[in-house]
Amino acid sequence: MGQAGVNTVALAIFSWDRIQPTEDRWNFGWLDRIIEKLGKAGIATDLASATATAPLWLYESHPEVLPVDRYGHIVNAGSRQSWQPTSPVFKEYALRLCRRLAEHYKDNPYVTAWHMGNEYGWNNRYDYSDNALAAFRTWCEAKYGTIDALNEAWGTAFWSQHVNSFDEVLLPRHMGGDAMVNPPQQLDYERFGNDMLLDFYKAERDAIEQICPGKPFTTNFMVSTDQCVMDYAKWAGEVDFVSNDHYFHEGESHLDELACSDALMDSLALGKPWYVMEHSTSAVQWKPLNARKRAGELMRDSLAHVAMGADAICFFQWRQSKSGAEAFHSAMLPHAGADSKVFRGVCELGKALKTLSDAGLQGTELERAGTAILFSSESEWATRSETLPSMKLNHWHDVRDWYRGFLDAGLRADVVPLAYDWTDYKTIVLPTVLSLSDEDVRRIADFAKTGGTVIVGYATGLVDEYFHIGLGGYPGAGNGLLRDMLGIRSEEFNILGEEAEGEPSEISLSNGLTTRLWQNDVNVTGEHAQVLATYAGEEADEWELDGMAAVTRNPYGAGEAYFVGCDLDVADLTKLIRTYLAAPAQSQQSQANTDVLHTVRKSADAAFDFYLPRGKKEVELQGVEGEPVVLFQTERGEENGSYTVRRNGVLVVRR
Ligand code: GAL
């Protein structure tokens, strides 16, 4: 670890059985020795609460803590997080462990932070046990107050689901072949699952903090590729620093996806330093096919996280294990040993991070962009409902597509939770933000009225926070205010897909773009609304959409609102951004060279520019100002400020 420049270790995350081998035996000796050995070598410990997975003896003596799946089957022990978030018995054991750890390590100078649980929600997010049922009833009562309010919110008149008292409220357990759960009930169950785990985290944190005050707490979030597991906008304020586990997405969007996930993390960090708690030096072992990282990707990905605002780079795992479920998962020290490409890469990274730190990177913050793409966990959950016009809706992926579209158009966007304050941005984008409350719509309309540019996607604002459809035409959220702002009204959705055999699989737009999934039949209602593109051609005609508006712009107060009434791929979103959003975006951070991801981290004293090629091609940079700090797979040109950054290379300069 010394050789690699490691200075922090997250320790004992799955070691409850070692710390408490049986109910009445405690064993801290091994952990004391490791912490001391690390500490004396200058390596700090981010010590786990160790409650992520309980020892087998606990499951044997208290099988009632095991979660239950939606079919009523008990979820067996043997993997991780095999416990009910609402089990009072499990909580008692977990808090006892937290207190013992806090007492034992409260004065240990080498323990510098507490690492709570692990990826809360990964394996026990959906629990259908009787404990969960009782807790859900209490949660609903606290939320709605009266049973009438719940009946109204859940629309229980439909399918004879009227609830007479909170004792009749049900969890969305398996209901036979008919998988269509009442959407507001499902959405509340998602919120409930989030809240129960957040409460559990808080109880653990508070138990430790009472005994060991003053040390920072974190827990590793899961934001990457296909996951944004919990409503982290609610969690971020409950930790002292956020940390994330990011696993890469193979293929051409590898770096873009990483940057997009990090853009959300940087917003969740609330202006404080944040950690990449886990990523991989090379392949993982949990996909059907596990691609390794190519030469340089270990360094490139790590520095890309730094470029996007991360202040610490950690990996799962230090030593690649010899046995167990994750033996084929890459590590910092691989099976081959220290004489290996991976370990040499890890050592090289250690040096680069030290160089950046010595050059004053600590304390700098990522420069914000002028555009915020808004993300909402609630909409992410809502789009998974099996009751929608299309089951292909995916809010998180649409966020990513827009993010890539901006990069391809030479602009960087931030990703910001809908619930946060985004009023300082110039432009906001709402991609498939399916559910918007009246209050959300009011904030959005006020933003436009006072000069902002709002871009509303095709399946945004169809329902409110209770999953009630806004009436009078789509998108109906905000009692018509969203439609007013956009100056449009739509009556029907046109859904394409392989289900519709013999039907067109795509429809063209008058400006050359193509839609493949979802089209709104947009009618222009605003006096000054402009039609920017219509559906056009044979396929459009076949679906009675020919000549109908597809993309519109409406002046609203001092600002304007765009409606993108159909789905578009990244290339077409890029064209749209280039054509229509270049002007409002002009004052935003722009990057002339779209082959490169360019970010800036700043403090009062210095600015660091990061340049990373987005594709496989090497890129030539000219006129780069500042002193080079890191030149990884990068050559300096003859002319001042010129560089060649090769595939997976990174250039960092300091101004
Ligand atoms: C994370 C988890 C780690 C390890 C890793 C493998 O989800 O926190 O313990 O399993 O994935 O990629």
Side-chain angles (χ1 to χ4, degrees):
M1 284 183 184
Q3 209 179 321
V6 171
N7 57 15
T8 302
V9 158
L11 189 60
I13 293 173
F14 295 110
S15 303
W16 188 342
D17 63 343
R18 289 269 154 138
I19 297 165
Q20 192 183 6
T22 60
E23 173 143 13
D24 40 22
R25 272 200 302 135
W26 296 87
N27 182 2
F28 294 104
W30 67 277
L31 194 51
D32 294 347
R33 279 193 297 280
I34 295 173
I35 293 173
E36 181 157 325
K37 190 173 173 185
L38 291 169
K40 289 204 164 133
I43 300 169
T45 292
D46 168 38
L47 185 61
S49 62
T51 52
T53 292
L56 293 178
W57 60 256
L58 197 157
Y59 295 122
E60 276 300 311
S61 54
H62 291 287
E64 73 273 20
V65 308
L66 291 165
V68 175
D69 74 9
R70 59 197 296 263
Y71 300 97
H73 301 143
I74 291 169
V75 177
N76 293 294
S79 178
R80 295 179 280 181
Q81 290 158 324
S82 315
W83 45 270
Q84 300 167 10
T86 53
S87 158
V89 174
F90 183 77
K91 194 173 192 177
E92 202 183 305
Y93 278 91
L95 296 191
R96 192 179 308 151
L97 173 60
C98 288
R99 287 189 204 103
R100 287 298 287 255
L101 281 164
E103 269 152 20
H104 194 87
Y105 291 106
K106 64 178 192 292
D107 298 320
N108 191 312
Y110 304 131
V111 173
T112 56
W114 288 99
H115 181 101
M116 305 305 296
N118 190 65
E119 296 185 338
Y120 284 91
W122 164 240
N123 201 26
N124 57 356
R125 165 117 181 62
Y126 300 105
D127 169 39
Y128 299 84
S129 64
D130 287 343
N131 278 328
L133 178 63
F136 188 50
R137 288 174 173 172
T138 307
W139 184 91
C140 286
E141 188 161 6
K143 173 168 180 174
Y144 291 106
T146 67
I147 202 64
D148 289 348
L150 179 137
N151 278 303
E152 170 60 23
W154 285 15
T156 54
F158 199 76
W159 281 359
S160 201
Q161 289 181 14
H162 185 84
V163 184
N164 288 312
S165 76
F166 287 100
D167 296 338
E168 282 181 20
V169 167
L170 297 178
L171 292 173
R173 287 169 167 156
H174 177 63
M175 305 171 302
D178 196 344
M180 288 185 288
V181 179
N182 184 16
Q185 180 191 9
Q186 179 67 32
L187 199 50
D188 271 341
Y189 178 62
E190 295 278 2
R191 294 176 175 123
F192 159 80
N194 180 76
D195 292 358
M196 290 306 99
L197 280 158
L198 184 53
D199 284 353
F200 194 89
Y201 156 78
K202 288 199 262 183
E204 292 187 300
R205 177 200 62 191
D206 295 350
I208 292 180
E209 195 171 37
Q210 250 182 2
I211 298 164
C212 174
K215 284 190 184 173
F217 289 85
T218 196
T219 182
N220 40 350
F221 295 172
M222 301 178 79
V223 178
S224 64
T225 318
D226 284 315
Q227 329 197 46
C228 188
V229 175
M230 311 303 283
D231 186 357
Y232 294 122
K234 285 191 172 170
W235 287 69
E238 299 293 343
V239 295
D240 293 301
F241 61 98
V242 301
S243 50
N244 190 40
D245 294 353
H246 184 274
Y247 287 97
F248 73 100
H249 183 58
E250 293 105 328
E252 62 175 9
S253 61
H254 183 142
L255 184 67
D256 293 357
E257 187 284 316
L258 182 158
C260 179
S261 292
D262 281 1
L264 176 58
M265 286 314 299
D266 199 69
S267 297
L268 291 169
L270 303 171
K272 289 183 276 187
W274 61 274
Y275 265 56
V276 171
M277 188 59 83
E278 291 183 21
H279 69 152
S280 62
T281 56
S282 190
V284 300
Q285 92 321 344
W286 39 259
K287 297 182 187 178
L289 300 168
N290 297 288
R292 69 178 168 92
K293 287 194 177 177
R294 293 182 175 91
E297 282 182 349
L298 186 163
M299 174 79 93
R300 193 280 309 268
D301 286 1
S302 300
L303 295 189
H305 288 300
V306 177
M308 289 301 300
D311 298 281
I313 300 297
C314 307
F315 292 92
F316 173 82
Q317 49 194 332
W318 165 244
R319 193 188 294 275
Q320 195 170 22
S321 39
K322 196 171 113 177
S323 59
E326 296 187 314
F328 282 107
H329 193 294
S330 60
M332 297 167 83
L333 188 56
H335 289 149
D339 182 11
S340 59
K341 278 183 287 191
V342 167
F343 190 65
R344 280 188 284 277
V346 166
C347 293
E348 204 180 2
L349 171 65
K351 288 201 187 83
L353 292 174
K354 171 131 190 0
T355 303
L356 284 168
S357 170
D358 290 347
L361 187 80
Q362 278 180 16
T364 61
E365 278 184 44
L366 180 66
E367 193 173 76
R368 309 303 287 180
T371 297
I373 302 172
L374 302 186
F375 174 73
S376 140
S377 299
E378 301 222 342
S379 281
E380 171 65 7
W381 299 333
T383 55
R384 290 191 212 137
S385 170
E386 296 186 3
T387 63
L388 292 165
S390 164
M391 277 171 59
K392 288 191 176 166
L393 287 184
N394 189 317
H395 172 45
W396 182 233
H397 285 181
D398 283 353
V399 167
R400 190 168 74 203
D401 284 356
W402 274 94
Y403 189 85
R404 297 188 72 200
F406 274 95
L407 286 181
D408 284 343
L411 295 160
R412 211 165 53 71
D414 291 340
V415 180
V416 183
L418 172 68
Y420 285 6
D421 181 8
W422 29 260
T423 47
D424 282 344
Y425 288 91
K426 295 196 161 35
T427 302
I428 56 169
V429 187
L430 293 114
T432 316
V433 185
L434 189 73
S435 121
L436 289 173
S437 68
D438 287 357
E439 178 55 20
D440 293 332
V441 177
R442 221 168 300 136
R443 288 170 70 211
I444 293 162
D446 283 349
F447 175 81
K449 207 177 257 168
T450 52
T453 298
V454 179
I455 302 159
V456 173
Y458 60 95
T460 291
L462 302 183
V463 302
D464 67 8
E465 71 271 39
Y466 304 109
F467 219 105
H468 286 204
I469 316 289
L471 301 180
Y474 308 119
N479 279 316
L481 181 56
L482 192 59
R483 283 194 306 270
D484 279 357
M485 179 189 77
L486 292 165
I488 57 107
R489 174 176 177 273
S490 159
E491 294 175 30
E492 281 189 309
F493 316 117
N494 195 60
I495 306 298
L496 301 181
E498 67 262 40
E499 306 290 316
E501 211 178 296
E503 298 286 7
S505 58
E506 49 184 53
I507 291 177
S508 302
L509 268 55
S510 55
N511 57 356
L513 311 186
T514 308
T515 165
R516 298 178 177 86
L517 173 69
W518 178 307
Q519 298 79 39
N520 290 282
D521 58 347
V522 183
N523 292 289
V524 173
T525 53
E527 208 185 323
H528 303 288
Q530 274 175 281
V531 177
L532 304 178
T534 58
Y535 302 105
E538 208 181 303
E539 290 79 15
D541 188 43
E542 176 144 342
W543 276 110
E544 301 155 346
L545 289 171
D546 194 21
M548 192 147 232
V551 182
T552 59
R553 171 168 54 201
N554 191 41
Y556 190 74
E560 56 182 356
Y562 288 77
F563 185 54
V564 182
C566 56
D567 70 292
L568 297 170
D569 66 10
V570 175
D572 282 355
L573 289 176
T574 308
K575 286 182 200 151
L576 207 69
I577 294 164
R578 276 188 195 276
T579 315
Y580 303 113
L581 302 174
Q586 243 161 28
S587 48
Q588 303 172 8
Q589 196 201 30
S590 66
Q591 40 183 77
N593 186 345
T594 59
D595 293 334
V596 96
L597 173 72
H598 174 208
T599 68
V600 182
R601 291 187 57 155
K602 269 189 182 160
S603 67
D605 305 322
F608 291 83
D609 289 87
F610 289 74
Y611 299 90
L612 300 103
R614 290 171 61 212
K616 296 181 179 178
K617 286 185 299 184
E618 65 179 29
V619 294
E620 303 284 343
L621 301 172
Q622 310 288 342
V624 173
E625 284 174 31
E627 275 308 301
V629 183
V630 172
L631 292 146
F632 178 68
Q633 305 196 159
T634 299
E635 274 81 50
R636 224 174 159 161
E638 303 221 318
E639 214 166 291
N640 212 10
S642 72
Y643 297 89
T644 304
V645 191
R646 282 181 279 124
R647 183 177 179 183
N648 299 327
V650 185
L651 168 66
V652 189
V653 299
R654 184 181 193 278
R655 284 184 280 136

